[in-house]
Amino acid sequence: MTATAVLVIPFLMGSPASAESSTVETVEVTSEHCVDQIDEIRPTGGSRSAADYSICQGQVTVEESAPVRATQADIQEARAAGIMAGPEAWYRNWTHTYLGGGLAEIHRGRTFWDGDVAWIRPYGGIGGSHECHTEGSWAVGWAVKRVLCDQPAADPSADAFYRFDASILFQGSPVTLGIGLHYSTNASGGTTAWQVGG
């Protein structure tokens, strides 16, 4: 897949204790690859209409909770297994949405970190979550194909990646958006969200 648009939204890069409430960030995006596909379909010399390109425009929204400390019981169980090295574990719930042109795709999850690593796949008895094409996703006129929904293992950063293709007919020809939504958490609880394609 060729990257047609990259969007980076940094969140809460400081100490976990500095965040007191949830955060919501929305940005507008336009897929140049989609615009190029429509231009190829349009007859030579045909006029350009803003309505024709509306399927190429969207919004990407990231909502994340304030950090929450894992329970003492969870942490002690993980330490007893000799897996967690950090003094404490934290997690954050998050939702990452692509919305535009009759298409809404959502992935959401819970990511943990302990100062040494971040993770979603169970680690030391504590597991997060990552769900793709979740409740609230919908499409009008689009065919959506889920390609990848990963479950990051413990690492210095955990990138929850949702890759999907969405296709629609424009003047009888298919237009396809290949979209990758990334929500990454580092070992200190700093987060970054970005979109590739779309």
PDB file of all heavy atoms in Angstrom, residues 1 94 96 107-108 111 120 129-133 146-152 158-164 178-185 192 194-197:
ATOM      1  N   MET A   1       0.844  -1.173   0.000  1.00  0.00           N
ATOM      2  CA  MET A   1       0.000   0.000   0.000  1.00  0.00           C
ATOM      3  C   MET A   1       0.884   1.228   0.000  1.00  0.00           C
ATOM      4  O   MET A   1       1.827   1.337   0.756  1.00  0.00           O
ATOM      5  CB  MET A   1      -0.885  -0.004   1.244  1.00  0.00           C
ATOM      6  CG  MET A   1      -1.706   1.257   1.377  1.00  0.00           C
ATOM      7  SD  MET A   1      -2.684   1.284   2.879  1.00  0.00           S
ATOM      8  CE  MET A   1      -1.446   1.866   4.019  1.00  0.00           C
ATOM      9  N   TRP A  94      -9.068   3.915  24.880  1.00  0.00           N
ATOM     10  CA  TRP A  94      -9.029   4.837  23.747  1.00  0.00           C
ATOM     11  C   TRP A  94      -9.952   4.366  22.624  1.00  0.00           C
ATOM     12  O   TRP A  94     -10.288   3.188  22.526  1.00  0.00           O
ATOM     13  CB  TRP A  94      -7.594   5.001  23.238  1.00  0.00           C
ATOM     14  CG  TRP A  94      -6.924   3.685  22.937  1.00  0.00           C
ATOM     15  CD1 TRP A  94      -6.159   2.930  23.783  1.00  0.00           C
ATOM     16  CD2 TRP A  94      -6.999   2.943  21.716  1.00  0.00           C
ATOM     17  NE1 TRP A  94      -5.757   1.769  23.164  1.00  0.00           N
ATOM     18  CE2 TRP A  94      -6.250   1.757  21.881  1.00  0.00           C
ATOM     19  CE3 TRP A  94      -7.620   3.170  20.485  1.00  0.00           C
ATOM     20  CZ2 TRP A  94      -6.110   0.809  20.883  1.00  0.00           C
ATOM     21  CZ3 TRP A  94      -7.485   2.221  19.473  1.00  0.00           C
ATOM     22  CH2 TRP A  94      -6.724   1.052  19.690  1.00  0.00           C
ATOM     23  N   HIS A  96     -10.453   5.317  18.296  1.00  0.00           N
ATOM     24  CA  HIS A  96      -9.869   5.966  17.118  1.00  0.00           C
ATOM     25  C   HIS A  96     -10.838   5.741  15.958  1.00  0.00           C
ATOM     26  O   HIS A  96     -11.112   4.602  15.594  1.00  0.00           O
ATOM     27  CB  HIS A  96      -8.514   5.310  16.850  1.00  0.00           C
ATOM     28  CG  HIS A  96      -7.644   6.018  15.885  1.00  0.00           C
ATOM     29  ND1 HIS A  96      -6.443   5.491  15.477  1.00  0.00           N
ATOM     30  CD2 HIS A  96      -7.754   7.202  15.245  1.00  0.00           C
ATOM     31  CE1 HIS A  96      -5.855   6.316  14.628  1.00  0.00           C
ATOM     32  NE2 HIS A  96      -6.647   7.361  14.471  1.00  0.00           N
ATOM     33  N   HIS A 107     -11.869   1.669  15.671  1.00  0.00           N
ATOM     34  CA  HIS A 107     -11.181   0.656  16.476  1.00  0.00           C
ATOM     35  C   HIS A 107     -10.949   1.263  17.853  1.00  0.00           C
ATOM     36  O   HIS A 107     -10.817   2.469  18.008  1.00  0.00           O
ATOM     37  CB  HIS A 107      -9.908   0.127  15.815  1.00  0.00           C
ATOM     38  CG  HIS A 107      -8.714   1.019  15.797  1.00  0.00           C
ATOM     39  ND1 HIS A 107      -7.457   0.569  16.113  1.00  0.00           N
ATOM     40  CD2 HIS A 107      -8.566   2.319  15.487  1.00  0.00           C
ATOM     41  CE1 HIS A 107      -6.589   1.557  15.996  1.00  0.00           C
ATOM     42  NE2 HIS A 107      -7.238   2.629  15.606  1.00  0.00           N
ATOM     43  N   ARG A 108     -10.991   0.401  18.862  1.00  0.00           N
ATOM     44  CA  ARG A 108     -10.844   0.892  20.237  1.00  0.00           C
ATOM     45  C   ARG A 108     -10.083  -0.135  21.049  1.00  0.00           C
ATOM     46  O   ARG A 108      -9.998  -1.308  20.658  1.00  0.00           O
ATOM     47  CB  ARG A 108     -12.194   1.206  20.872  1.00  0.00           C
ATOM     48  CG  ARG A 108     -13.155   0.059  20.991  1.00  0.00           C
ATOM     49  CD  ARG A 108     -14.451   0.411  21.754  1.00  0.00           C
ATOM     50  NE  ARG A 108     -15.068   1.652  21.347  1.00  0.00           N
ATOM     51  CZ  ARG A 108     -16.121   1.763  20.533  1.00  0.00           C
ATOM     52  NH1 ARG A 108     -16.674   0.668  20.034  1.00  0.00           N
ATOM     53  NH2 ARG A 108     -16.618   2.929  20.227  1.00  0.00           N
ATOM     54  N   THR A 111      -4.683  -0.086  26.461  1.00  0.00           N
ATOM     55  CA  THR A 111      -3.258  -0.364  26.394  1.00  0.00           C
ATOM     56  C   THR A 111      -2.637  -0.140  27.771  1.00  0.00           C
ATOM     57  O   THR A 111      -2.916   0.866  28.428  1.00  0.00           O
ATOM     58  CB  THR A 111      -2.567   0.548  25.359  1.00  0.00           C
ATOM     59  OG1 THR A 111      -3.224   0.415  24.091  1.00  0.00           O
ATOM     60  CG2 THR A 111      -1.103   0.181  25.190  1.00  0.00           C
ATOM     61  N   ILE A 120      -0.661  -4.832  24.773  1.00  0.00           N
ATOM     62  CA  ILE A 120      -2.080  -5.176  24.738  1.00  0.00           C
ATOM     63  C   ILE A 120      -2.239  -6.682  24.958  1.00  0.00           C
ATOM     64  O   ILE A 120      -3.010  -7.110  25.792  1.00  0.00           O
ATOM     65  CB  ILE A 120      -2.740  -4.737  23.412  1.00  0.00           C
ATOM     66  CG1 ILE A 120      -2.872  -3.208  23.381  1.00  0.00           C
ATOM     67  CG2 ILE A 120      -4.103  -5.403  23.235  1.00  0.00           C
ATOM     68  CD1 ILE A 120      -3.463  -2.641  22.112  1.00  0.00           C
ATOM     69  N   SER A 129      -6.817  -4.727  25.420  1.00  0.00           N
ATOM     70  CA  SER A 129      -7.743  -5.156  24.372  1.00  0.00           C
ATOM     71  C   SER A 129      -7.564  -4.284  23.145  1.00  0.00           C
ATOM     72  O   SER A 129      -7.120  -3.139  23.237  1.00  0.00           O
ATOM     73  CB  SER A 129      -9.196  -5.058  24.860  1.00  0.00           C
ATOM     74  OG  SER A 129      -9.532  -3.704  25.135  1.00  0.00           O
ATOM     75  N   HIS A 130      -7.880  -4.839  21.993  1.00  0.00           N
ATOM     76  CA  HIS A 130      -7.916  -4.105  20.732  1.00  0.00           C
ATOM     77  C   HIS A 130      -8.978  -4.747  19.862  1.00  0.00           C
ATOM     78  O   HIS A 130      -8.869  -5.912  19.487  1.00  0.00           O
ATOM     79  CB  HIS A 130      -6.555  -4.134  20.020  1.00  0.00           C
ATOM     80  CG  HIS A 130      -6.544  -3.330  18.766  1.00  0.00           C
ATOM     81  ND1 HIS A 130      -5.707  -3.621  17.707  1.00  0.00           N
ATOM     82  CD2 HIS A 130      -7.254  -2.229  18.383  1.00  0.00           C
ATOM     83  CE1 HIS A 130      -5.905  -2.735  16.739  1.00  0.00           C
ATOM     84  NE2 HIS A 130      -6.842  -1.888  17.133  1.00  0.00           N
ATOM     85  N   GLU A 131     -10.035  -3.989  19.559  1.00  0.00           N
ATOM     86  CA  GLU A 131     -11.138  -4.465  18.737  1.00  0.00           C
ATOM     87  C   GLU A 131     -11.283  -3.555  17.529  1.00  0.00           C
ATOM     88  O   GLU A 131     -11.221  -2.334  17.660  1.00  0.00           O
ATOM     89  CB  GLU A 131     -12.437  -4.457  19.538  1.00  0.00           C
ATOM     90  CG  GLU A 131     -12.395  -5.318  20.785  1.00  0.00           C
ATOM     91  CD  GLU A 131     -13.609  -5.110  21.654  1.00  0.00           C
ATOM     92  OE1 GLU A 131     -14.645  -4.639  21.148  1.00  0.00           O
ATOM     93  OE2 GLU A 131     -13.521  -5.408  22.850  1.00  0.00           O
ATOM     94  N   CYS A 132     -11.490  -4.147  16.366  1.00  0.00           N
ATOM     95  CA  CYS A 132     -11.613  -3.386  15.126  1.00  0.00           C
ATOM     96  C   CYS A 132     -13.007  -3.588  14.525  1.00  0.00           C
ATOM     97  O   CYS A 132     -13.661  -4.586  14.801  1.00  0.00           O
ATOM     98  CB  CYS A 132     -10.551  -3.827  14.132  1.00  0.00           C
ATOM     99  SG  CYS A 132      -8.860  -3.562  14.737  1.00  0.00           S
ATOM    100  N   HIS A 133     -13.427  -2.628  13.700  1.00  0.00           N
ATOM    101  CA  HIS A 133     -14.782  -2.614  13.138  1.00  0.00           C
ATOM    102  C   HIS A 133     -15.772  -2.826  14.279  1.00  0.00           C
ATOM    103  O   HIS A 133     -16.637  -3.699  14.239  1.00  0.00           O
ATOM    104  CB  HIS A 133     -14.935  -3.663  12.045  1.00  0.00           C
ATOM    105  CG  HIS A 133     -16.238  -3.545  11.300  1.00  0.00           C
ATOM    106  ND1 HIS A 133     -16.481  -2.566  10.380  1.00  0.00           N
ATOM    107  CD2 HIS A 133     -17.370  -4.286  11.372  1.00  0.00           C
ATOM    108  CE1 HIS A 133     -17.714  -2.709   9.905  1.00  0.00           C
ATOM    109  NE2 HIS A 133     -18.274  -3.743  10.493  1.00  0.00           N
ATOM    110  N   ARG A 146     -12.015  -5.848   6.383  1.00  0.00           N
ATOM    111  CA  ARG A 146     -11.038  -5.777   7.468  1.00  0.00           C
ATOM    112  C   ARG A 146      -9.802  -6.575   7.059  1.00  0.00           C
ATOM    113  O   ARG A 146      -9.901  -7.757   6.728  1.00  0.00           O
ATOM    114  CB  ARG A 146     -11.660  -6.346   8.735  1.00  0.00           C
ATOM    115  CG  ARG A 146     -10.780  -6.306   9.928  1.00  0.00           C
ATOM    116  CD  ARG A 146     -11.551  -6.807  11.128  1.00  0.00           C
ATOM    117  NE  ARG A 146     -10.714  -7.706  11.892  1.00  0.00           N
ATOM    118  CZ  ARG A 146     -10.986  -8.110  13.103  1.00  0.00           C
ATOM    119  NH1 ARG A 146     -12.095  -7.730  13.689  1.00  0.00           N
ATOM    120  NH2 ARG A 146     -10.179  -8.913  13.736  1.00  0.00           N
ATOM    121  N   VAL A 147      -8.631  -5.935   7.069  1.00  0.00           N
ATOM    122  CA  VAL A 147      -7.399  -6.587   6.624  1.00  0.00           C
ATOM    123  C   VAL A 147      -6.546  -7.043   7.799  1.00  0.00           C
ATOM    124  O   VAL A 147      -6.022  -8.151   7.800  1.00  0.00           O
ATOM    125  CB  VAL A 147      -6.584  -5.641   5.698  1.00  0.00           C
ATOM    126  CG1 VAL A 147      -5.276  -6.279   5.274  1.00  0.00           C
ATOM    127  CG2 VAL A 147      -7.413  -5.252   4.470  1.00  0.00           C
ATOM    128  N   LEU A 148      -6.378  -6.185   8.827  1.00  0.00           N
ATOM    129  CA  LEU A 148      -5.512  -6.522   9.956  1.00  0.00           C
ATOM    130  C   LEU A 148      -5.973  -5.793  11.207  1.00  0.00           C
ATOM    131  O   LEU A 148      -6.310  -4.609  11.147  1.00  0.00           O
ATOM    132  CB  LEU A 148      -4.059  -6.129   9.648  1.00  0.00           C
ATOM    133  CG  LEU A 148      -3.031  -6.338  10.753  1.00  0.00           C
ATOM    134  CD1 LEU A 148      -2.823  -7.821  11.028  1.00  0.00           C
ATOM    135  CD2 LEU A 148      -1.707  -5.691  10.375  1.00  0.00           C
ATOM    136  N   CYS A 149      -5.973  -6.503  12.319  1.00  0.00           N
ATOM    137  CA  CYS A 149      -6.275  -5.920  13.634  1.00  0.00           C
ATOM    138  C   CYS A 149      -5.311  -6.572  14.610  1.00  0.00           C
ATOM    139  O   CYS A 149      -5.565  -7.667  15.095  1.00  0.00           O
ATOM    140  CB  CYS A 149      -7.728  -6.203  14.016  1.00  0.00           C
ATOM    141  SG  CYS A 149      -8.252  -5.439  15.573  1.00  0.00           S
ATOM    142  N   ASP A 150      -4.166  -5.906  14.870  1.00  0.00           N
ATOM    143  CA  ASP A 150      -3.115  -6.566  15.638  1.00  0.00           C
ATOM    144  C   ASP A 150      -3.324  -6.456  17.144  1.00  0.00           C
ATOM    145  O   ASP A 150      -4.131  -5.673  17.626  1.00  0.00           O
ATOM    146  CB  ASP A 150      -1.736  -6.049  15.242  1.00  0.00           C
ATOM    147  CG  ASP A 150      -1.493  -4.622  15.701  1.00  0.00           C
ATOM    148  OD1 ASP A 150      -2.452  -3.936  16.076  1.00  0.00           O
ATOM    149  OD2 ASP A 150      -0.327  -4.196  15.685  1.00  0.00           O
ATOM    150  N   GLN A 151      -2.599  -7.276  17.877  1.00  0.00           N
ATOM    151  CA  GLN A 151      -2.618  -7.318  19.343  1.00  0.00           C
ATOM    152  C   GLN A 151      -1.170  -7.212  19.804  1.00  0.00           C
ATOM    153  O   GLN A 151      -0.500  -8.221  20.011  1.00  0.00           O
ATOM    154  CB  GLN A 151      -3.243  -8.635  19.836  1.00  0.00           C
ATOM    155  CG  GLN A 151      -4.624  -8.921  19.305  1.00  0.00           C
ATOM    156  CD  GLN A 151      -5.670  -8.000  19.884  1.00  0.00           C
ATOM    157  OE1 GLN A 151      -5.638  -7.646  21.046  1.00  0.00           O
ATOM    158  NE2 GLN A 151      -6.611  -7.581  19.048  1.00  0.00           N
ATOM    159  N   PRO A 152      -0.639  -5.991  19.972  1.00  0.00           N
ATOM    160  CA  PRO A 152       0.788  -5.828  20.269  1.00  0.00           C
ATOM    161  C   PRO A 152       1.231  -6.527  21.561  1.00  0.00           C
ATOM    162  O   PRO A 152       0.567  -6.427  22.591  1.00  0.00           O
ATOM    163  CB  PRO A 152       0.966  -4.315  20.400  1.00  0.00           C
ATOM    164  CG  PRO A 152      -0.204  -3.723  19.688  1.00  0.00           C
ATOM    165  CD  PRO A 152      -1.322  -4.705  19.833  1.00  0.00           C
ATOM    166  N   ALA A 158       3.721  -0.012  21.990  1.00  0.00           N
ATOM    167  CA  ALA A 158       2.677  -0.922  21.515  1.00  0.00           C
ATOM    168  C   ALA A 158       1.820  -0.156  20.514  1.00  0.00           C
ATOM    169  O   ALA A 158       1.101   0.769  20.880  1.00  0.00           O
ATOM    170  CB  ALA A 158       1.821  -1.413  22.677  1.00  0.00           C
ATOM    171  N   ASP A 159       1.913  -0.531  19.226  1.00  0.00           N
ATOM    172  CA  ASP A 159       1.167   0.124  18.154  1.00  0.00           C
ATOM    173  C   ASP A 159      -0.060  -0.722  17.811  1.00  0.00           C
ATOM    174  O   ASP A 159       0.054  -1.763  17.171  1.00  0.00           O
ATOM    175  CB  ASP A 159       2.060   0.302  16.921  1.00  0.00           C
ATOM    176  CG  ASP A 159       1.354   0.950  15.747  1.00  0.00           C
ATOM    177  OD1 ASP A 159       0.219   1.451  15.912  1.00  0.00           O
ATOM    178  OD2 ASP A 159       1.946   0.965  14.650  1.00  0.00           O
ATOM    179  N   ALA A 160      -1.228  -0.263  18.255  1.00  0.00           N
ATOM    180  CA  ALA A 160      -2.485  -0.937  17.909  1.00  0.00           C
ATOM    181  C   ALA A 160      -2.864  -0.475  16.502  1.00  0.00           C
ATOM    182  O   ALA A 160      -3.234   0.675  16.299  1.00  0.00           O
ATOM    183  CB  ALA A 160      -3.568  -0.586  18.913  1.00  0.00           C
ATOM    184  N   PHE A 161      -2.772  -1.369  15.526  1.00  0.00           N
ATOM    185  CA  PHE A 161      -2.909  -1.038  14.112  1.00  0.00           C
ATOM    186  C   PHE A 161      -4.145  -1.720  13.541  1.00  0.00           C
ATOM    187  O   PHE A 161      -4.303  -2.931  13.663  1.00  0.00           O
ATOM    188  CB  PHE A 161      -1.641  -1.501  13.387  1.00  0.00           C
ATOM    189  CG  PHE A 161      -1.660  -1.337  11.894  1.00  0.00           C
ATOM    190  CD1 PHE A 161      -2.062  -0.160  11.307  1.00  0.00           C
ATOM    191  CD2 PHE A 161      -1.249  -2.375  11.072  1.00  0.00           C
ATOM    192  CE1 PHE A 161      -2.068  -0.011   9.926  1.00  0.00           C
ATOM    193  CE2 PHE A 161      -1.239  -2.241   9.697  1.00  0.00           C
ATOM    194  CZ  PHE A 161      -1.654  -1.059   9.127  1.00  0.00           C
ATOM    195  N   TYR A 162      -5.033  -0.909  12.929  1.00  0.00           N
ATOM    196  CA  TYR A 162      -6.218  -1.430  12.241  1.00  0.00           C
ATOM    197  C   TYR A 162      -6.103  -1.051  10.781  1.00  0.00           C
ATOM    198  O   TYR A 162      -6.084   0.119  10.429  1.00  0.00           O
ATOM    199  CB  TYR A 162      -7.495  -0.838  12.847  1.00  0.00           C
ATOM    200  CG  TYR A 162      -8.778  -1.207  12.111  1.00  0.00           C
ATOM    201  CD1 TYR A 162      -8.922  -2.410  11.422  1.00  0.00           C
ATOM    202  CD2 TYR A 162      -9.863  -0.345  12.125  1.00  0.00           C
ATOM    203  CE1 TYR A 162     -10.091  -2.739  10.771  1.00  0.00           C
ATOM    204  CE2 TYR A 162     -11.051  -0.661  11.482  1.00  0.00           C
ATOM    205  CZ  TYR A 162     -11.159  -1.860  10.806  1.00  0.00           C
ATOM    206  OH  TYR A 162     -12.319  -2.183  10.151  1.00  0.00           O
ATOM    207  N   ARG A 163      -6.029  -2.041   9.899  1.00  0.00           N
ATOM    208  CA  ARG A 163      -5.917  -1.828   8.459  1.00  0.00           C
ATOM    209  C   ARG A 163      -7.182  -2.338   7.796  1.00  0.00           C
ATOM    210  O   ARG A 163      -7.589  -3.483   8.026  1.00  0.00           O
ATOM    211  CB  ARG A 163      -4.689  -2.563   7.943  1.00  0.00           C
ATOM    212  CG  ARG A 163      -4.581  -2.678   6.445  1.00  0.00           C
ATOM    213  CD  ARG A 163      -4.144  -1.387   5.784  1.00  0.00           C
ATOM    214  NE  ARG A 163      -3.784  -1.632   4.412  1.00  0.00           N
ATOM    215  CZ  ARG A 163      -4.644  -1.749   3.404  1.00  0.00           C
ATOM    216  NH1 ARG A 163      -5.941  -1.642   3.612  1.00  0.00           N
ATOM    217  NH2 ARG A 163      -4.225  -1.964   2.178  1.00  0.00           N
ATOM    218  N   PHE A 164      -7.838  -1.468   6.991  1.00  0.00           N
ATOM    219  CA  PHE A 164      -9.025  -1.903   6.261  1.00  0.00           C
ATOM    220  C   PHE A 164      -9.056  -1.255   4.883  1.00  0.00           C
ATOM    221  O   PHE A 164      -8.440  -0.217   4.646  1.00  0.00           O
ATOM    222  CB  PHE A 164     -10.314  -1.584   7.034  1.00  0.00           C
ATOM    223  CG  PHE A 164     -10.606  -0.119   7.220  1.00  0.00           C
ATOM    224  CD1 PHE A 164     -11.397   0.575   6.324  1.00  0.00           C
ATOM    225  CD2 PHE A 164     -10.092   0.568   8.306  1.00  0.00           C
ATOM    226  CE1 PHE A 164     -11.675   1.926   6.492  1.00  0.00           C
ATOM    227  CE2 PHE A 164     -10.364   1.915   8.496  1.00  0.00           C
ATOM    228  CZ  PHE A 164     -11.153   2.593   7.590  1.00  0.00           C
ATOM    229  N   GLY A 178      -7.517   2.596   1.000  1.00  0.00           N
ATOM    230  CA  GLY A 178      -6.764   1.669   1.848  1.00  0.00           C
ATOM    231  C   GLY A 178      -6.330   2.458   3.070  1.00  0.00           C
ATOM    232  O   GLY A 178      -5.488   3.339   2.958  1.00  0.00           O
ATOM    233  N   ILE A 179      -6.907   2.162   4.221  1.00  0.00           N
ATOM    234  CA  ILE A 179      -6.687   2.994   5.404  1.00  0.00           C
ATOM    235  C   ILE A 179      -6.047   2.185   6.520  1.00  0.00           C
ATOM    236  O   ILE A 179      -6.454   1.059   6.807  1.00  0.00           O
ATOM    237  CB  ILE A 179      -8.023   3.593   5.905  1.00  0.00           C
ATOM    238  CG1 ILE A 179      -8.636   4.475   4.816  1.00  0.00           C
ATOM    239  CG2 ILE A 179      -7.815   4.381   7.195  1.00  0.00           C
ATOM    240  CD1 ILE A 179      -9.999   5.025   5.141  1.00  0.00           C
ATOM    241  N   GLY A 180      -5.047   2.777   7.143  1.00  0.00           N
ATOM    242  CA  GLY A 180      -4.416   2.202   8.330  1.00  0.00           C
ATOM    243  C   GLY A 180      -4.536   3.191   9.475  1.00  0.00           C
ATOM    244  O   GLY A 180      -4.098   4.333   9.347  1.00  0.00           O
ATOM    245  N   LEU A 181      -5.160   2.773  10.561  1.00  0.00           N
ATOM    246  CA  LEU A 181      -5.272   3.608  11.754  1.00  0.00           C
ATOM    247  C   LEU A 181      -4.325   3.062  12.818  1.00  0.00           C
ATOM    248  O   LEU A 181      -4.394   1.873  13.157  1.00  0.00           O
ATOM    249  CB  LEU A 181      -6.706   3.605  12.288  1.00  0.00           C
ATOM    250  CG  LEU A 181      -7.787   4.169  11.368  1.00  0.00           C
ATOM    251  CD1 LEU A 181      -9.170   3.994  12.000  1.00  0.00           C
ATOM    252  CD2 LEU A 181      -7.536   5.634  11.053  1.00  0.00           C
ATOM    253  N   HIS A 182      -3.445   3.917  13.322  1.00  0.00           N
ATOM    254  CA  HIS A 182      -2.455   3.524  14.323  1.00  0.00           C
ATOM    255  C   HIS A 182      -2.703   4.275  15.624  1.00  0.00           C
ATOM    256  O   HIS A 182      -2.898   5.493  15.605  1.00  0.00           O
ATOM    257  CB  HIS A 182      -1.043   3.879  13.855  1.00  0.00           C
ATOM    258  CG  HIS A 182      -0.574   3.124  12.659  1.00  0.00           C
ATOM    259  ND1 HIS A 182       0.266   2.045  12.761  1.00  0.00           N
ATOM    260  CD2 HIS A 182      -0.809   3.303  11.341  1.00  0.00           C
ATOM    261  CE1 HIS A 182       0.531   1.586  11.538  1.00  0.00           C
ATOM    262  NE2 HIS A 182      -0.116   2.332  10.663  1.00  0.00           N
ATOM    263  N   TYR A 183      -2.652   3.556  16.730  1.00  0.00           N
ATOM    264  CA  TYR A 183      -2.690   4.171  18.053  1.00  0.00           C
ATOM    265  C   TYR A 183      -1.562   3.529  18.854  1.00  0.00           C
ATOM    266  O   TYR A 183      -1.620   2.349  19.198  1.00  0.00           O
ATOM    267  CB  TYR A 183      -4.041   3.950  18.747  1.00  0.00           C
ATOM    268  CG  TYR A 183      -4.097   4.614  20.102  1.00  0.00           C
ATOM    269  CD1 TYR A 183      -4.478   5.955  20.223  1.00  0.00           C
ATOM    270  CD2 TYR A 183      -3.727   3.934  21.252  1.00  0.00           C
ATOM    271  CE1 TYR A 183      -4.502   6.577  21.464  1.00  0.00           C
ATOM    272  CE2 TYR A 183      -3.752   4.548  22.494  1.00  0.00           C
ATOM    273  CZ  TYR A 183      -4.137   5.866  22.586  1.00  0.00           C
ATOM    274  OH  TYR A 183      -4.144   6.485  23.813  1.00  0.00           O
ATOM    275  N   SER A 184      -0.520   4.316  19.115  1.00  0.00           N
ATOM    276  CA  SER A 184       0.687   3.777  19.726  1.00  0.00           C
ATOM    277  C   SER A 184       0.911   4.364  21.113  1.00  0.00           C
ATOM    278  O   SER A 184       0.752   5.566  21.326  1.00  0.00           O
ATOM    279  CB  SER A 184       1.888   4.097  18.827  1.00  0.00           C
ATOM    280  OG  SER A 184       3.071   3.537  19.355  1.00  0.00           O
ATOM    281  N   THR A 185       1.308   3.501  22.046  1.00  0.00           N
ATOM    282  CA  THR A 185       1.609   3.898  23.422  1.00  0.00           C
ATOM    283  C   THR A 185       3.029   3.465  23.739  1.00  0.00           C
ATOM    284  O   THR A 185       3.406   2.328  23.455  1.00  0.00           O
ATOM    285  CB  THR A 185       0.640   3.212  24.412  1.00  0.00           C
ATOM    286  OG1 THR A 185      -0.699   3.535  24.049  1.00  0.00           O
ATOM    287  CG2 THR A 185       0.907   3.647  25.841  1.00  0.00           C
ATOM    288  N   THR A 192       0.642   8.389  20.619  1.00  0.00           N
ATOM    289  CA  THR A 192       0.609   9.038  19.318  1.00  0.00           C
ATOM    290  C   THR A 192      -0.391   8.283  18.455  1.00  0.00           C
ATOM    291  O   THR A 192      -0.423   7.048  18.471  1.00  0.00           O
ATOM    292  CB  THR A 192       1.994   8.996  18.637  1.00  0.00           C
ATOM    293  OG1 THR A 192       2.970   9.527  19.520  1.00  0.00           O
ATOM    294  CG2 THR A 192       1.992   9.809  17.354  1.00  0.00           C
ATOM    295  N   TRP A 194      -1.997   8.093  14.401  1.00  0.00           N
ATOM    296  CA  TRP A 194      -1.850   8.550  13.032  1.00  0.00           C
ATOM    297  C   TRP A 194      -2.627   7.670  12.080  1.00  0.00           C
ATOM    298  O   TRP A 194      -3.030   6.566  12.419  1.00  0.00           O
ATOM    299  CB  TRP A 194      -0.378   8.676  12.626  1.00  0.00           C
ATOM    300  CG  TRP A 194       0.380   7.408  12.475  1.00  0.00           C
ATOM    301  CD1 TRP A 194       0.599   6.713  11.319  1.00  0.00           C
ATOM    302  CD2 TRP A 194       1.074   6.680  13.491  1.00  0.00           C
ATOM    303  NE1 TRP A 194       1.366   5.611  11.556  1.00  0.00           N
ATOM    304  CE2 TRP A 194       1.679   5.565  12.871  1.00  0.00           C
ATOM    305  CE3 TRP A 194       1.229   6.871  14.867  1.00  0.00           C
ATOM    306  CZ2 TRP A 194       2.433   4.650  13.586  1.00  0.00           C
ATOM    307  CZ3 TRP A 194       1.987   5.946  15.583  1.00  0.00           C
ATOM    308  CH2 TRP A 194       2.571   4.852  14.943  1.00  0.00           C
ATOM    309  N   GLN A 195      -2.822   8.213  10.891  1.00  0.00           N
ATOM    310  CA  GLN A 195      -3.559   7.531   9.844  1.00  0.00           C
ATOM    311  C   GLN A 195      -2.668   7.458   8.610  1.00  0.00           C
ATOM    312  O   GLN A 195      -2.005   8.444   8.263  1.00  0.00           O
ATOM    313  CB  GLN A 195      -4.823   8.294   9.505  1.00  0.00           C
ATOM    314  CG  GLN A 195      -5.533   7.782   8.280  1.00  0.00           C
ATOM    315  CD  GLN A 195      -6.393   8.834   7.617  1.00  0.00           C
ATOM    316  OE1 GLN A 195      -6.539   9.928   8.129  1.00  0.00           O
ATOM    317  NE2 GLN A 195      -6.950   8.501   6.479  1.00  0.00           N
ATOM    318  N   VAL A 196      -2.665   6.337   7.928  1.00  0.00           N
ATOM    319  CA  VAL A 196      -1.978   6.179   6.648  1.00  0.00           C
ATOM    320  C   VAL A 196      -3.039   5.845   5.621  1.00  0.00           C
ATOM    321  O   VAL A 196      -3.863   4.966   5.839  1.00  0.00           O
ATOM    322  CB  VAL A 196      -0.907   5.080   6.700  1.00  0.00           C
ATOM    323  CG1 VAL A 196      -0.237   4.924   5.347  1.00  0.00           C
ATOM    324  CG2 VAL A 196       0.121   5.385   7.773  1.00  0.00           C
ATOM    325  N   GLY A 197      -3.051   6.547   4.514  1.00  0.00           N
ATOM    326  CA  GLY A 197      -4.062   6.325   3.481  1.00  0.00           C
ATOM    327  C   GLY A 197      -5.353   7.015   3.837  1.00  0.00           C
ATOM    328  O   GLY A 197      -5.410   7.871   4.721  1.00  0.00           O
TER     329      GLY A 197
END
